[in-house]
Amino acid sequence: MANARAYLLLARMWIRVSMSYRTSFVVLTIGQFLISGLDFVAIVLMFTNIDALGGFSLTEIAFLYGGSTLCLGLADLILGNIERLGRRIRLGTLDAMMVRPVSVYVQMCADEFALRRLGRITQGGLVFAWAVHALDIDWTAARLAMVPYLLVFGTAIFLAIFTMGAAVQFWTADSSELANAFTYGGSTLAQFPMTIYPTEAIKALTFVIPITFVNWYPSLFILDRSDPLGLPGAVRFGGPVVAALLAAMAAGIWRTGIRHYRSTGS
Amino acid sequence: MSMIEVRDVSRSFVLRRRSGRWRRTAHTVHAVSGLSFTVEPGEMVGYIGPNGAGKSTTIKMLTGILVPTGGTLTVAGLTPYVERTQLAQRIGVVFGQRTALWWDLPLRDSYELLQRIYRIPPARYRTNMATFTELLDLAELLDTPVRQLSLGQRMRGDIAAALLHDPDVVYLDEPTIGLDVVSKSKLREFLRQTNRERGLTVILTTHDLHDIEQLCSRVMVIDHGRLVFDGDLAALHAVGGARRTLVVDLSEPTDPITIPGAETVKVEGPRQWLAFPAEASAAPLVAAVAAAHDIADLSILEPDIEDVITRIYTSTPPPG
């Protein structure tokens, strides 16, 4: 509770700072919206020449795209600047966080909280809403419930990956690009149906960096599609388990990282 | 109960160096070894030593940022590296060169945020803000973003931030570095007053012996990770024999000047260096030199920490 309160305090303060440069805030938010939207425009243009990609229609891909973009956007909004940990370690400004009566993790998550990231979320949300509206499927209660399920656990998976990527910087202060490859890169891969990738890649994205649990498996259930890997149907509901596992790993790496920092003083 | 208890604390770092194309050899650096001292509530202690002596390693262990490799320490009854976040409520830290304030925020917003983070009761916050604003001349700075403040202004802002939650102990790292004479004396007056009125325990690291002389009743000198001196100012003068140096440019080269109470330590052409006790006035010495010689120019060098430490070594063997 104390941590949530501290997070909100810090986030609210950064929102106020960004609002004091209102024009710049508006421009940046629209910019994020447009840049993020270009990917989707590319997909739409592609579909003027094709009817399906990997066996998926434009609306189905819009559903995948929207789900992936929303989950990444939400995670990025919540703790996107955690990747600056390495820089703070190099500059020595992490020490100031360590002498405050609030968890360092919470302070890092809320650091320079950027509301402009709503740009990406809005764009992903619009595509997602359009897909939900345009999809010609039978919205049973179970399918409907799967939508928030996808968003919540998909976001949780990205949160954990962001945290792991940042925590690694306790050892290698310059590795933020590596973390970005998994988060932003993973999200881009998940915007498309897995059927367009080789089986080995799908396996890697399921068992190694389980990005498929963000939106692919929940979408297979909602869209009533078969799994190219042929895994049991229960896998489609694996989101919470995967999120919990990743979160536990992330917490472990973070704690070990802090301990490492406190024992090297670097 | 003592405010700070440090018993036989050591801290070593393992550094890995490349020694060949692939091999890396580890070697251990002892940043602090066998450090023991206690600080009572309300004491103002100067913690001095050359760069790399172990000052900031000590401060980092006292704040809980660094875990010691040996020994025990408590601050305000808490073990810093175990109870770091609880301890944060009881201590204030000023990191010298690096601000703990939010770069883009006006000072006032930083303070309001700190009020909430530290859960400072509103009445207490208002009283403290009023006091610090007046004593540290912050009124005109409150609406300025921290990044636009000068070094001296920022230091004042940082000191207020460190004291806002009524800590029991405050660590100040080089609080007067880069400040002009007026700002320095104002800051020292503020620290003296806060120490007196609130019973605040202060640990001060500095390169400026004036800070020590005007603020601290006690001095600890650390060198190569060991405490080489722990005592009051008079004892430091007795052991370290801090001396000031009068540098005179005579109109022409002469033999070394001999004046009682001063020692001519160096002669270079028409320029001579006369060392005299730091607490003595320079005026009679200048008068004595002027009476016998034709002075073209003169200046006075203040004693520096390195000088004092060298003299500590030459007068007594280091303990331990």
Side-chain angles (χ1 to χ4, degrees), chain A residues 95-137:
Chain A
D95 289 356
M97 287 186 168
M98 296 193 76
V99 297
R100 292 205 184 112
V102 175
S103 126
V104 174
Y105 180 66
V106 167
Q107 291 183 69
M108 271 318 296
C109 288
D111 194 34
E112 300 190 28
F113 180 88
L115 205 58
R116 64 166 182 277
R117 294 189 167 126
L118 282 176
R120 188 205 304 274
I121 294 172
T122 311
Q123 188 269 333
L126 284 175
V127 173
F128 195 68
W130 173 73
V132 168
H133 174 77
L135 276 173
D136 182 25
I137 48 172

mmCIF file of all heavy atoms in Angstrom, chain A residues 95-137:
data_model
loop_
_atom_site.group_PDB
_atom_site.id
_atom_site.type_symbol
_atom_site.label_atom_id
_atom_site.label_comp_id
_atom_site.label_asym_id
_atom_site.label_seq_id
_atom_site.Cartn_x
_atom_site.Cartn_y
_atom_site.Cartn_z
ATOM 1 N N ASP A 95 22.005 6.403 -5.707
ATOM 2 C CA ASP A 95 22.224 6.531 -4.262
ATOM 3 C C ASP A 95 21.179 7.420 -3.603
ATOM 4 O O ASP A 95 20.737 7.137 -2.495
ATOM 5 C CB ASP A 95 23.623 7.092 -3.989
ATOM 6 C CG ASP A 95 24.712 6.078 -4.298
ATOM 7 O OD1 ASP A 95 24.356 4.932 -4.642
ATOM 8 O OD2 ASP A 95 25.889 6.422 -4.198
ATOM 9 N N ALA A 96 20.782 8.490 -4.300
ATOM 10 C CA ALA A 96 19.787 9.390 -3.726
ATOM 11 C C ALA A 96 18.466 8.656 -3.509
ATOM 12 O O ALA A 96 17.747 8.925 -2.547
ATOM 13 C CB ALA A 96 19.577 10.601 -4.629
ATOM 14 N N MET A 97 18.166 7.708 -4.406
ATOM 15 C CA MET A 97 16.934 6.935 -4.246
ATOM 16 C C MET A 97 17.046 5.967 -3.073
ATOM 17 O O MET A 97 16.067 5.621 -2.446
ATOM 18 C CB MET A 97 16.652 6.131 -5.512
ATOM 19 C CG MET A 97 16.166 6.973 -6.670
ATOM 20 S SD MET A 97 15.690 5.893 -8.031
ATOM 21 C CE MET A 97 14.835 7.081 -9.078
ATOM 22 N N MET A 98 18.286 5.519 -2.832
ATOM 23 C CA MET A 98 18.455 4.506 -1.796
ATOM 24 C C MET A 98 18.351 5.076 -0.393
ATOM 25 O O MET A 98 18.198 4.320 0.566
ATOM 26 C CB MET A 98 19.794 3.802 -1.980
ATOM 27 C CG MET A 98 19.835 3.054 -3.286
ATOM 28 S SD MET A 98 21.197 1.912 -3.408
ATOM 29 C CE MET A 98 20.642 0.589 -2.384
ATOM 30 N N VAL A 99 18.447 6.387 -0.246
ATOM 31 C CA VAL A 99 18.329 6.953 1.101
ATOM 32 C C VAL A 99 16.947 7.562 1.327
ATOM 33 O O VAL A 99 16.744 8.324 2.258
ATOM 34 C CB VAL A 99 19.432 8.000 1.390
ATOM 35 C CG1 VAL A 99 20.798 7.333 1.345
ATOM 36 C CG2 VAL A 99 19.368 9.163 0.419
ATOM 37 N N ARG A 100 15.989 7.211 0.476
ATOM 38 C CA ARG A 100 14.615 7.662 0.693
ATOM 39 C C ARG A 100 13.788 6.493 1.249
ATOM 40 O O ARG A 100 14.060 5.341 0.941
ATOM 41 C CB ARG A 100 14.003 8.147 -0.614
ATOM 42 C CG ARG A 100 14.658 9.415 -1.078
ATOM 43 C CD ARG A 100 13.754 10.233 -1.956
ATOM 44 N NE ARG A 100 14.495 11.386 -2.446
ATOM 45 C CZ ARG A 100 14.839 11.566 -3.718
ATOM 46 N NH1 ARG A 100 14.496 10.688 -4.618
ATOM 47 N NH2 ARG A 100 15.509 12.637 -4.075
ATOM 48 N N PRO A 101 12.753 6.827 2.024
ATOM 49 C CA PRO A 101 12.007 5.760 2.701
ATOM 50 C C PRO A 101 10.998 5.065 1.796
ATOM 51 O O PRO A 101 9.896 4.758 2.227
ATOM 52 C CB PRO A 101 11.310 6.517 3.838
ATOM 53 C CG PRO A 101 11.125 7.882 3.314
ATOM 54 C CD PRO A 101 12.285 8.158 2.412
ATOM 55 N N VAL A 102 11.342 4.865 0.540
ATOM 56 C CA VAL A 102 10.450 4.229 -0.424
ATOM 57 C C VAL A 102 11.282 3.224 -1.208
ATOM 58 O O VAL A 102 12.455 3.470 -1.467
ATOM 59 C CB VAL A 102 9.869 5.281 -1.404
ATOM 60 C CG1 VAL A 102 9.038 4.617 -2.484
ATOM 61 C CG2 VAL A 102 9.059 6.323 -0.667
ATOM 62 N N SER A 103 10.654 2.115 -1.574
ATOM 63 C CA SER A 103 11.381 1.088 -2.324
ATOM 64 C C SER A 103 12.025 1.668 -3.583
ATOM 65 O O SER A 103 11.423 2.478 -4.290
ATOM 66 C CB SER A 103 10.411 -0.049 -2.687
ATOM 67 O OG SER A 103 10.438 -0.307 -4.075
ATOM 68 N N VAL A 104 13.258 1.253 -3.853
ATOM 69 C CA VAL A 104 13.982 1.745 -5.024
ATOM 70 C C VAL A 104 13.250 1.332 -6.307
ATOM 71 O O VAL A 104 13.176 2.084 -7.272
ATOM 72 C CB VAL A 104 15.432 1.213 -5.033
ATOM 73 C CG1 VAL A 104 16.146 1.592 -6.321
ATOM 74 C CG2 VAL A 104 16.191 1.755 -3.841
ATOM 75 N N TYR A 105 12.663 0.122 -6.280
ATOM 76 C CA TYR A 105 11.947 -0.360 -7.460
ATOM 77 C C TYR A 105 10.790 0.563 -7.806
ATOM 78 O O TYR A 105 10.629 0.959 -8.967
ATOM 79 C CB TYR A 105 11.442 -1.795 -7.201
ATOM 80 C CG TYR A 105 10.683 -2.376 -8.363
ATOM 81 C CD1 TYR A 105 11.328 -2.631 -9.572
ATOM 82 C CD2 TYR A 105 9.326 -2.677 -8.259
ATOM 83 C CE1 TYR A 105 10.636 -3.166 -10.649
ATOM 84 C CE2 TYR A 105 8.628 -3.207 -9.326
ATOM 85 C CZ TYR A 105 9.291 -3.448 -10.524
ATOM 86 O OH TYR A 105 8.612 -3.968 -11.591
ATOM 87 N N VAL A 106 10.025 0.925 -6.801
ATOM 88 C CA VAL A 106 8.887 1.825 -7.033
ATOM 89 C C VAL A 106 9.371 3.175 -7.563
ATOM 90 O O VAL A 106 8.812 3.727 -8.516
ATOM 91 C CB VAL A 106 8.083 2.007 -5.727
ATOM 92 C CG1 VAL A 106 7.102 3.162 -5.854
ATOM 93 C CG2 VAL A 106 7.359 0.719 -5.379
ATOM 94 N N GLN A 107 10.453 3.667 -6.980
ATOM 95 C CA GLN A 107 10.977 4.960 -7.453
ATOM 96 C C GLN A 107 11.444 4.875 -8.904
ATOM 97 O O GLN A 107 11.245 5.794 -9.686
ATOM 98 C CB GLN A 107 12.130 5.417 -6.567
ATOM 99 C CG GLN A 107 11.709 5.803 -5.168
ATOM 100 C CD GLN A 107 12.891 6.322 -4.371
ATOM 101 O OE1 GLN A 107 13.423 7.391 -4.633
ATOM 102 N NE2 GLN A 107 13.312 5.556 -3.392
ATOM 103 N N MET A 108 12.093 3.747 -9.249
ATOM 104 C CA MET A 108 12.567 3.588 -10.625
ATOM 105 C C MET A 108 11.395 3.460 -11.604
ATOM 106 O O MET A 108 11.427 4.018 -12.693
ATOM 107 C CB MET A 108 13.472 2.351 -10.748
ATOM 108 C CG MET A 108 14.959 2.552 -10.498
ATOM 109 S SD MET A 108 15.712 4.020 -11.183
ATOM 110 C CE MET A 108 15.533 3.797 -12.935
ATOM 111 N N CYS A 109 10.358 2.714 -11.204
ATOM 112 C CA CYS A 109 9.191 2.551 -12.081
ATOM 113 C C CYS A 109 8.555 3.905 -12.386
ATOM 114 O O CYS A 109 8.176 4.192 -13.514
ATOM 115 C CB CYS A 109 8.148 1.653 -11.423
ATOM 116 S SG CYS A 109 8.612 -0.074 -11.368
ATOM 117 N N ALA A 110 8.434 4.728 -11.355
ATOM 118 C CA ALA A 110 7.720 5.994 -11.513
ATOM 119 C C ALA A 110 8.623 7.101 -12.045
ATOM 120 O O ALA A 110 8.153 8.192 -12.343
ATOM 121 C CB ALA A 110 7.121 6.420 -10.173
ATOM 122 N N ASP A 111 9.924 6.795 -12.175
ATOM 123 C CA ASP A 111 10.869 7.841 -12.556
ATOM 124 C C ASP A 111 10.503 8.471 -13.903
ATOM 125 O O ASP A 111 10.366 7.765 -14.905
ATOM 126 C CB ASP A 111 12.279 7.249 -12.618
ATOM 127 C CG ASP A 111 13.331 8.337 -12.662
ATOM 128 O OD1 ASP A 111 13.103 9.390 -12.041
ATOM 129 O OD2 ASP A 111 14.361 8.139 -13.320
ATOM 130 N N GLU A 112 10.346 9.770 -13.894
ATOM 131 C CA GLU A 112 9.976 10.523 -15.110
ATOM 132 C C GLU A 112 8.792 9.877 -15.833
ATOM 133 O O GLU A 112 8.799 9.726 -17.062
ATOM 134 C CB GLU A 112 11.196 10.671 -16.026
ATOM 135 C CG GLU A 112 12.303 11.416 -15.303
ATOM 136 C CD GLU A 112 13.449 11.817 -16.208
ATOM 137 O OE1 GLU A 112 13.207 12.013 -17.412
ATOM 138 O OE2 GLU A 112 14.571 11.962 -15.702
ATOM 139 N N PHE A 113 7.793 9.522 -15.056
ATOM 140 C CA PHE A 113 6.550 8.953 -15.577
ATOM 141 C C PHE A 113 6.062 9.800 -16.756
ATOM 142 O O PHE A 113 5.904 11.012 -16.636
ATOM 143 C CB PHE A 113 5.508 8.951 -14.453
ATOM 144 C CG PHE A 113 4.185 8.378 -14.862
ATOM 145 C CD1 PHE A 113 3.943 7.024 -14.763
ATOM 146 C CD2 PHE A 113 3.180 9.204 -15.336
ATOM 147 C CE1 PHE A 113 2.722 6.500 -15.133
ATOM 148 C CE2 PHE A 113 1.953 8.684 -15.714
ATOM 149 C CZ PHE A 113 1.719 7.335 -15.615
ATOM 150 N N ALA A 114 5.834 9.141 -17.904
ATOM 151 C CA ALA A 114 5.542 9.898 -19.125
ATOM 152 C C ALA A 114 4.138 9.614 -19.641
ATOM 153 O O ALA A 114 3.887 8.578 -20.252
ATOM 154 C CB ALA A 114 6.580 9.577 -20.194
ATOM 155 N N LEU A 115 3.250 10.533 -19.382
ATOM 156 C CA LEU A 115 1.859 10.375 -19.797
ATOM 157 C C LEU A 115 1.713 10.392 -21.313
ATOM 158 O O LEU A 115 0.723 9.909 -21.858
ATOM 159 C CB LEU A 115 1.017 11.493 -19.173
ATOM 160 C CG LEU A 115 -0.474 11.203 -18.992
ATOM 161 C CD1 LEU A 115 -0.678 9.972 -18.144
ATOM 162 C CD2 LEU A 115 -1.172 12.404 -18.380
ATOM 163 N N ARG A 116 2.745 10.937 -22.002
ATOM 164 C CA ARG A 116 2.678 10.986 -23.466
ATOM 165 C C ARG A 116 2.567 9.581 -24.058
ATOM 166 O O ARG A 116 2.176 9.411 -25.196
ATOM 167 C CB ARG A 116 3.895 11.700 -24.038
ATOM 168 C CG ARG A 116 5.191 10.982 -23.764
ATOM 169 C CD ARG A 116 6.340 11.482 -24.606
ATOM 170 N NE ARG A 116 7.530 10.712 -24.319
ATOM 171 C CZ ARG A 116 8.334 10.944 -23.297
ATOM 172 N NH1 ARG A 116 8.093 11.930 -22.474
ATOM 173 N NH2 ARG A 116 9.388 10.177 -23.080
ATOM 174 N N ARG A 117 2.913 8.574 -23.270
ATOM 175 C CA ARG A 117 2.817 7.191 -23.759
ATOM 176 C C ARG A 117 1.372 6.782 -23.990
ATOM 177 O O ARG A 117 1.110 5.735 -24.568
ATOM 178 C CB ARG A 117 3.488 6.245 -22.778
ATOM 179 C CG ARG A 117 4.982 6.522 -22.740
ATOM 180 C CD ARG A 117 5.733 5.480 -21.959
ATOM 181 N NE ARG A 117 7.157 5.635 -22.235
ATOM 182 C CZ ARG A 117 8.081 5.791 -21.305
ATOM 183 N NH1 ARG A 117 7.748 5.790 -20.048
ATOM 184 N NH2 ARG A 117 9.345 5.937 -21.643
ATOM 185 N N LEU A 118 0.443 7.612 -23.517
ATOM 186 C CA LEU A 118 -0.962 7.385 -23.835
ATOM 187 C C LEU A 118 -1.161 7.421 -25.342
ATOM 188 O O LEU A 118 -2.133 6.870 -25.857
ATOM 189 C CB LEU A 118 -1.840 8.451 -23.168
ATOM 190 C CG LEU A 118 -2.115 8.250 -21.670
ATOM 191 C CD1 LEU A 118 -2.913 9.419 -21.130
ATOM 192 C CD2 LEU A 118 -2.861 6.941 -21.435
ATOM 193 N N GLY A 119 -0.255 8.070 -26.059
ATOM 194 C CA GLY A 119 -0.342 8.138 -27.517
ATOM 195 C C GLY A 119 -0.369 6.750 -28.119
ATOM 196 O O GLY A 119 -1.255 6.412 -28.899
ATOM 197 N N ARG A 120 0.608 5.917 -27.709
ATOM 198 C CA ARG A 120 0.677 4.555 -28.218
ATOM 199 C C ARG A 120 -0.552 3.752 -27.755
ATOM 200 O O ARG A 120 -1.143 2.999 -28.520
ATOM 201 C CB ARG A 120 1.953 3.871 -27.724
ATOM 202 C CG ARG A 120 2.187 2.516 -28.367
ATOM 203 C CD ARG A 120 3.039 1.622 -27.490
ATOM 204 N NE ARG A 120 4.309 2.245 -27.140
ATOM 205 C CZ ARG A 120 5.390 2.191 -27.903
ATOM 206 N NH1 ARG A 120 5.347 1.593 -29.049
ATOM 207 N NH2 ARG A 120 6.507 2.758 -27.505
ATOM 208 N N ILE A 121 -0.926 3.959 -26.478
ATOM 209 C CA ILE A 121 -2.047 3.195 -25.924
ATOM 210 C C ILE A 121 -3.345 3.533 -26.667
ATOM 211 O O ILE A 121 -4.126 2.637 -27.003
ATOM 212 C CB ILE A 121 -2.187 3.483 -24.408
ATOM 213 C CG1 ILE A 121 -0.955 2.935 -23.684
ATOM 214 C CG2 ILE A 121 -3.461 2.876 -23.850
ATOM 215 C CD1 ILE A 121 -0.863 3.319 -22.236
ATOM 216 N N THR A 122 -3.539 4.804 -26.938
ATOM 217 C CA THR A 122 -4.749 5.226 -27.662
ATOM 218 C C THR A 122 -4.788 4.583 -29.041
ATOM 219 O O THR A 122 -5.810 4.046 -29.468
ATOM 220 C CB THR A 122 -4.760 6.754 -27.828
ATOM 221 O OG1 THR A 122 -4.477 7.341 -26.552
ATOM 222 C CG2 THR A 122 -6.107 7.252 -28.323
ATOM 223 N N GLN A 123 -3.631 4.621 -29.715
ATOM 224 C CA GLN A 123 -3.577 4.062 -31.062
ATOM 225 C C GLN A 123 -3.872 2.567 -31.031
ATOM 226 O O GLN A 123 -4.728 2.064 -31.766
ATOM 227 C CB GLN A 123 -2.193 4.352 -31.660
ATOM 228 C CG GLN A 123 -2.050 3.997 -33.127
ATOM 229 C CD GLN A 123 -1.541 2.584 -33.301
ATOM 230 O OE1 GLN A 123 -0.850 2.047 -32.428
ATOM 231 N NE2 GLN A 123 -1.888 1.982 -34.423
ATOM 232 N N GLY A 124 -3.201 1.845 -30.131
ATOM 233 C CA GLY A 124 -3.430 0.406 -30.014
ATOM 234 C C GLY A 124 -4.875 0.125 -29.623
ATOM 235 O O GLY A 124 -5.511 -0.802 -30.145
ATOM 236 N N GLY A 125 -5.392 0.955 -28.716
ATOM 237 C CA GLY A 125 -6.760 0.779 -28.230
ATOM 238 C C GLY A 125 -7.775 0.952 -29.346
ATOM 239 O O GLY A 125 -8.746 0.192 -29.443
ATOM 240 N N LEU A 126 -7.533 1.939 -30.208
ATOM 241 C CA LEU A 126 -8.469 2.191 -31.323
ATOM 242 C C LEU A 126 -8.493 1.002 -32.280
ATOM 243 O O LEU A 126 -9.567 0.539 -32.685
ATOM 244 C CB LEU A 126 -8.073 3.465 -32.072
ATOM 245 C CG LEU A 126 -8.419 4.786 -31.362
ATOM 246 C CD1 LEU A 126 -7.869 5.975 -32.146
ATOM 247 C CD2 LEU A 126 -9.933 4.912 -31.187
ATOM 248 N N VAL A 127 -7.298 0.497 -32.619
ATOM 249 C CA VAL A 127 -7.223 -0.649 -33.526
ATOM 250 C C VAL A 127 -7.915 -1.854 -32.887
ATOM 251 O O VAL A 127 -8.686 -2.573 -33.529
ATOM 252 C CB VAL A 127 -5.747 -0.968 -33.872
ATOM 253 C CG1 VAL A 127 -5.660 -2.267 -34.685
ATOM 254 C CG2 VAL A 127 -5.121 0.189 -34.640
ATOM 255 N N PHE A 128 -7.656 -2.045 -31.595
ATOM 256 C CA PHE A 128 -8.224 -3.178 -30.861
ATOM 257 C C PHE A 128 -9.758 -3.073 -30.837
ATOM 258 O O PHE A 128 -10.461 -4.045 -31.122
ATOM 259 C CB PHE A 128 -7.665 -3.185 -29.434
ATOM 260 C CG PHE A 128 -7.887 -4.469 -28.687
ATOM 261 C CD1 PHE A 128 -7.235 -5.631 -29.064
ATOM 262 C CD2 PHE A 128 -8.740 -4.512 -27.584
ATOM 263 C CE1 PHE A 128 -7.419 -6.822 -28.365
ATOM 264 C CE2 PHE A 128 -8.936 -5.702 -26.886
ATOM 265 C CZ PHE A 128 -8.280 -6.855 -27.273
ATOM 266 N N ALA A 129 -10.253 -1.881 -30.520
ATOM 267 C CA ALA A 129 -11.711 -1.668 -30.434
ATOM 268 C C ALA A 129 -12.358 -1.917 -31.797
ATOM 269 O O ALA A 129 -13.407 -2.552 -31.894
ATOM 270 C CB ALA A 129 -11.999 -0.255 -29.952
ATOM 271 N N TRP A 130 -11.695 -1.447 -32.850
ATOM 272 C CA TRP A 130 -12.230 -1.648 -34.194
ATOM 273 C C TRP A 130 -12.299 -3.140 -34.516
ATOM 274 O O TRP A 130 -13.293 -3.652 -35.033
ATOM 275 C CB TRP A 130 -11.367 -0.912 -35.237
ATOM 276 C CG TRP A 130 -11.791 -1.237 -36.634
ATOM 277 C CD1 TRP A 130 -12.921 -0.794 -37.256
ATOM 278 C CD2 TRP A 130 -11.122 -2.090 -37.570
ATOM 279 N NE1 TRP A 130 -13.004 -1.320 -38.518
ATOM 280 C CE2 TRP A 130 -11.908 -2.118 -38.734
ATOM 281 C CE3 TRP A 130 -9.928 -2.827 -37.516
ATOM 282 C CZ2 TRP A 130 -11.536 -2.863 -39.855
ATOM 283 C CZ3 TRP A 130 -9.568 -3.566 -38.628
ATOM 284 C CH2 TRP A 130 -10.371 -3.574 -39.792
ATOM 285 N N ALA A 131 -11.226 -3.863 -34.151
ATOM 286 C CA ALA A 131 -11.166 -5.296 -34.436
ATOM 287 C C ALA A 131 -12.284 -6.030 -33.703
ATOM 288 O O ALA A 131 -12.988 -6.854 -34.284
ATOM 289 C CB ALA A 131 -9.798 -5.853 -34.022
ATOM 290 N N VAL A 132 -12.455 -5.700 -32.397
ATOM 291 C CA VAL A 132 -13.507 -6.350 -31.600
ATOM 292 C C VAL A 132 -14.863 -6.103 -32.247
ATOM 293 O O VAL A 132 -15.707 -7.000 -32.362
ATOM 294 C CB VAL A 132 -13.494 -5.821 -30.144
ATOM 295 C CG1 VAL A 132 -14.750 -6.255 -29.390
ATOM 296 C CG2 VAL A 132 -12.251 -6.326 -29.430
ATOM 297 N N HIS A 133 -15.051 -4.871 -32.716
ATOM 298 C CA HIS A 133 -16.318 -4.490 -33.329
ATOM 299 C C HIS A 133 -16.513 -5.192 -34.673
ATOM 300 O O HIS A 133 -17.613 -5.665 -34.985
ATOM 301 C CB HIS A 133 -16.342 -2.969 -33.513
ATOM 302 C CG HIS A 133 -17.540 -2.471 -34.269
ATOM 303 N ND1 HIS A 133 -18.791 -2.363 -33.677
ATOM 304 C CD2 HIS A 133 -17.686 -2.085 -35.560
ATOM 305 C CE1 HIS A 133 -19.643 -1.928 -34.576
ATOM 306 N NE2 HIS A 133 -19.005 -1.741 -35.731
ATOM 307 N N ALA A 134 -15.444 -5.282 -35.472
ATOM 308 C CA ALA A 134 -15.569 -5.781 -36.845
ATOM 309 C C ALA A 134 -15.488 -7.302 -36.956
ATOM 310 O O ALA A 134 -15.888 -7.875 -37.954
ATOM 311 C CB ALA A 134 -14.489 -5.144 -37.723
ATOM 312 N N LEU A 135 -14.925 -7.955 -35.935
ATOM 313 C CA LEU A 135 -14.769 -9.411 -36.005
ATOM 314 C C LEU A 135 -16.123 -10.103 -36.059
ATOM 315 O O LEU A 135 -17.032 -9.765 -35.300
ATOM 316 C CB LEU A 135 -14.002 -9.921 -34.775
ATOM 317 C CG LEU A 135 -12.478 -9.855 -34.836
ATOM 318 C CD1 LEU A 135 -11.896 -10.241 -33.484
ATOM 319 C CD2 LEU A 135 -11.931 -10.749 -35.930
ATOM 320 N N ASP A 136 -16.195 -11.065 -36.955
ATOM 321 C CA ASP A 136 -17.450 -11.785 -37.103
ATOM 322 C C ASP A 136 -17.367 -13.067 -36.266
ATOM 323 O O ASP A 136 -17.128 -14.153 -36.775
ATOM 324 C CB ASP A 136 -17.668 -12.114 -38.588
ATOM 325 C CG ASP A 136 -18.989 -12.826 -38.795
ATOM 326 O OD1 ASP A 136 -19.895 -12.627 -37.950
ATOM 327 O OD2 ASP A 136 -19.089 -13.583 -39.774
ATOM 328 N N ILE A 137 -17.477 -12.890 -34.923
ATOM 329 C CA ILE A 137 -17.412 -14.079 -34.073
ATOM 330 C C ILE A 137 -18.546 -14.061 -33.060
ATOM 331 O O ILE A 137 -19.142 -13.023 -32.775
ATOM 332 C CB ILE A 137 -16.067 -14.202 -33.318
ATOM 333 C CG1 ILE A 137 -15.687 -12.878 -32.655
ATOM 334 C CG2 ILE A 137 -14.980 -14.709 -34.217
ATOM 335 C CD1 ILE A 137 -14.485 -12.996 -31.752
#
